[in-house]
Amino acid sequence: MMSLHGCLNGTTASQCLKLTSIPTCSSSSFLLKTPTPHFQKSPLPRRPINALSSSATTVQPSPSTTNAPHDQGVKPQWKATIDFKWIKDNKEAVATNIRNRNSDANLDLVLHLYDKMFTLQKEVERVRGERNAVANKMKGKLEQSERQRLIEEGKNLKEELAALEEDLVKLKDNLQQEAQCIPNMTHPDVPIGGEDSSIIRNMVGSSPEFSFPIKDHLQLGKELDLFDFDAAAEVSGSKFYYLKNEAVLLEMALLNWTLSEVMKRGFTPLTTPEIVRSTVVEKCGFQPRANNTQIYSIDDSDQCLIGTAEIPVGGLHMDSILADSLLPLKYVAFSHCFRTEAGAAGSATRGLYRVHQFSKVEMFIFCRPEESEQYHEELIKIEEDIFSSLGLHFKTLDMASEDLGAPAYRKFDVEAWMPGLERFGEISSASNCTDYQSRRLGIRYRPSETPVTSAKKSKGNLVPPQFVHTLNATACAVPRMIICLLENYQQEDGSVLIPEPLRPFMGGLNVISRKS
C-alpha cells in the first residue's frame, strides 16, 4: 500500500532517477469510478504476465505535455473503461463523493464534455449521411453539370467530415483525461472528513510496561550494532541505511515467516519486477501530487521504480479475461519498494520510520464484485493475526474519506505502539479498490452462469465479461516491523528478545545482545 512510509525528501537517490510527473489531471488524487458495490467482474483468460500490452508502450509524457492545460486536448496515453452514463445518472452522488474526498476532480467539466461529445457525434452522423447521399446520387445517370456540382458538394462534405471527426477525437481524449480524475466511490460506512475523523474498529493488546528507561530503535540499533545510517548517507544519500548483524537475520526472518503464514491461507507466492512502465503505475491509481510525488522514474525511459508490489501484481493479468473458475486469485508478493518520501521531515520520521528503500510483503486479491467486501475483511484479519502473533499492541482504523487513496473504496490501517517514539505508527493498511483499477488495467472475468438460450448459438449469447474487483494489503513492511520489535522487546540490560514465532527463522536465536 502506497500510504505506508509517507513522504520525505527524495532527490538524493541517484542521478539516473528523477521524480515522475505523470498525466495531467485536475484532481490531486487521479481517480475514476463507476458503480460501486453492485459492480460485476468479467473473466479474462489467465495467462503469463503481459508485459507488452498496447497501452503500456507509450513513452512517459514530457514535462511540457504533463503541464499542458486541459483545454489543449492532450491525448491520454491510455484509456480507462469509464461508465459515463452511470456518472451522469448519479451526478449528485459523484459530486458529494468528490467533496468528501477533498478531490479537485471537475465533474461539471466532465458532464459538459460528455454532452458536447454527443452533440458533436450527431453532427458527424448528419454530415456522414449527407456525404453518403451524395455518393448514392452519383451512381445514376446525371448531366455533366449536375455531376460536377455533386463532386464539389461531396468534396466539401468530405473535408467537413474529416474536420469534425478530428474534433471528436480530441474531445473524446479531453473527456477521458478529465473523467480519469474522478475518484472511486466510497463505502457508505466510511467516516467523512480528514485523518482525525477515522474510527477505531479494533484495539489489540496493551502497551508493555518497562521498569527501566526505554530507548528508541536508533539507540538500540547503535548499541547493538544493527544499523549504519551514516555510511548509507555517504553512499546513497539521506534516508538510506545498512542493516547489519542480527538485523539482517531479523529482516529475513520477518519475510520468510510472513510468507509462510500467508501461504497457509491459500495465497500464491510471487517475486515481482521492481521496475515497471509508468502507464502501469498510473493505471493502478498512483499519481504525483504537485512536487511531492512518491514515485522515482528513470530518465529517458517510460519506466519507474515501484513503491509497492501492488503495482506489478495489479498488472499481472492486465488486458485479460479470466475464467470464473480461477477466482479468487490470491497472491502474496515479496519486493523491494522505492519511495521519494517527498515532504516528510521531523523527529517523528527519523531512523527506519521513513526511508527511500525497504523490503515488503504485499497481499493482493482479484475477485468477483460481490465478494470483495468479504475478502477485505479476510485481509485485515490476516494482518491482525500476524501482528498479534508477534505480541504487538495495535489498533485497526477505518480510515476517513479524505485519507483514502485514489483507488480505495474503503481502507483499514493498522497502527502499532512504538515505545521509543511514544506513539502509534502505521505498519499496514488494507484497501478494497472495487473495479477502479481493473477498469484501468483491463482485467475482466466471464461469469459462469448459464447463458440465455436461443435458437441460434452465437457469441452474443455468452454472458458478457465483467470487471473484477482488486484488493491489496501489507503483510509486512520490514523497517517499521523492526522498529516495533526492537522497541517493544528491549530488555533492561540493553538486549532485545526475539518473538517466539521468528526464532526458527533466525537459526534458533532467542536474543540480540551487545557485542563483547
Side-chain angles (χ1 to χ4, degrees), residues 1 124 179-180 241 278 308 328 367 399 401 438 440 445 510:
M1 319 268 329
V124 167
Q180 286 176 178
Y241 56 96
S278 60
T308 168
C367 71
M399 301 308 291
S401 58
S438 62
R440 299 156 77 95
Y445 83 106
N510 296 340

Side-chain angles (χ1 to χ4, degrees), residues 110-249:
V110 170
L111 296 176
H112 168 72
L113 292 173
Y114 183 58
D115 290 339
K116 189 175 178 181
M117 180 189 70
F118 266 107
T119 301
L120 187 54
Q121 280 179 331
K122 289 180 181 178
E123 182 65 10
V124 167
E125 291 166 4
R126 182 189 67 78
V127 175
R128 185 179 289 128
E130 290 184 8
R131 186 196 64 175
N132 292 340
V134 168
N136 288 332
K137 288 179 183 178
M138 293 181 64
K139 292 177 181 177
K141 290 185 178 180
L142 297 170
E143 294 289 335
Q144 183 60 30
S145 60
E146 177 63 10
R147 181 173 294 278
Q148 188 60 39
R149 187 188 70 78
L150 289 175
I151 288 174
E152 287 297 319
E153 184 178 357
K155 180 182 177 182
N156 292 336
L157 288 169
K158 182 180 179 181
E159 292 175 353
E160 182 181 1
L161 180 61
L164 288 171
E165 288 177 335
E166 183 179 352
D167 289 343
L168 182 59
V169 169
K170 291 179 180 178
L171 181 58
K172 286 182 176 180
D173 288 342
N174 198 4
L175 171 60
Q176 184 76 24
Q177 182 182 351
E178 289 294 337
Q180 286 176 178
C181 296
I182 297 176
N184 197 348
M185 296 300 287
T186 305
H187 190 286
D189 292 341
V190 167
I192 305 304
E195 185 177 358
D196 292 343
S197 300
S198 299
I199 296 172
I200 297 176
R201 58 174 264 149
N202 197 13
M203 182 74 79
V204 176
S206 58
S207 57
E209 296 183 1
F210 298 96
S211 60
F212 54 90
I214 61 173
K215 304 168 184 176
D216 66 12
H217 73 283
L218 278 171
Q219 186 176 356
L220 289 165
K222 182 178 180 179
E223 293 177 356
L224 297 171
D225 196 20
L226 301 178
F227 318 133
D228 194 330
F229 288 93
D230 293 336
E234 292 295 324
V235 171
S236 302
S238 64
K239 293 298 175 183
F240 287 92
Y241 56 96
Y242 287 95
L243 294 183
K244 300 170 62 180
N245 299 313
E246 293 91 343
V248 177
L249 302 181

Side-chain angles (χ1 to χ4, degrees), residues 344-365:
S347 59
T349 66
R350 68 189 186 276
L352 291 174
Y353 195 81
R354 291 195 186 278
V355 290
H356 293 310
Q357 176 183 336
F358 59 96
S359 301
K360 182 159 70 79
V361 177
E362 183 81 2
M363 299 179 285
F364 198 99
I365 296 177

Side-chain angles (χ1 to χ4, degrees), residues 29 32 58 121 141 175 229 232 245 307 317 321 405 412 461 466:
S29 46
L32 102 88
T58 48
Q121 280 179 331
K141 290 185 178 180
L175 171 60
F229 288 93
N245 299 313
H317 299 292
I321 298 179
F412 301 137
N461 291 326
Q466 300 169 18

Side-chain angles (χ1 to χ4, degrees), residues 351-417:
L352 291 174
Y353 195 81
R354 291 195 186 278
V355 290
H356 293 310
Q357 176 183 336
F358 59 96
S359 301
K360 182 159 70 79
V361 177
E362 183 81 2
M363 299 179 285
F364 198 99
I365 296 177
F366 299 89
C367 71
R368 302 173 188 86
E370 64 273 15
E371 297 171 340
S372 64
E373 292 198 51
Q374 163 196 334
Y375 287 119
H376 196 195
E377 292 292 338
E378 178 179 319
L379 287 173
I380 194 64
K381 179 65 164 56
I382 293 172
E383 290 180 336
E384 291 178 340
D385 287 348
I386 287 172
F387 305 138
S388 294
S389 295
L390 294 175
L392 300 182
H393 171 42
F394 63 88
K395 58 184 177 180
T396 303
L397 302 170
D398 193 348
M399 301 308 291
S401 58
E402 291 180 23
D403 197 62
L404 298 180
Y409 174 61
R410 192 179 196 181
K411 183 177 73 148
F412 301 137
D413 277 6
V414 176
E415 296 183 355
W417 180 248

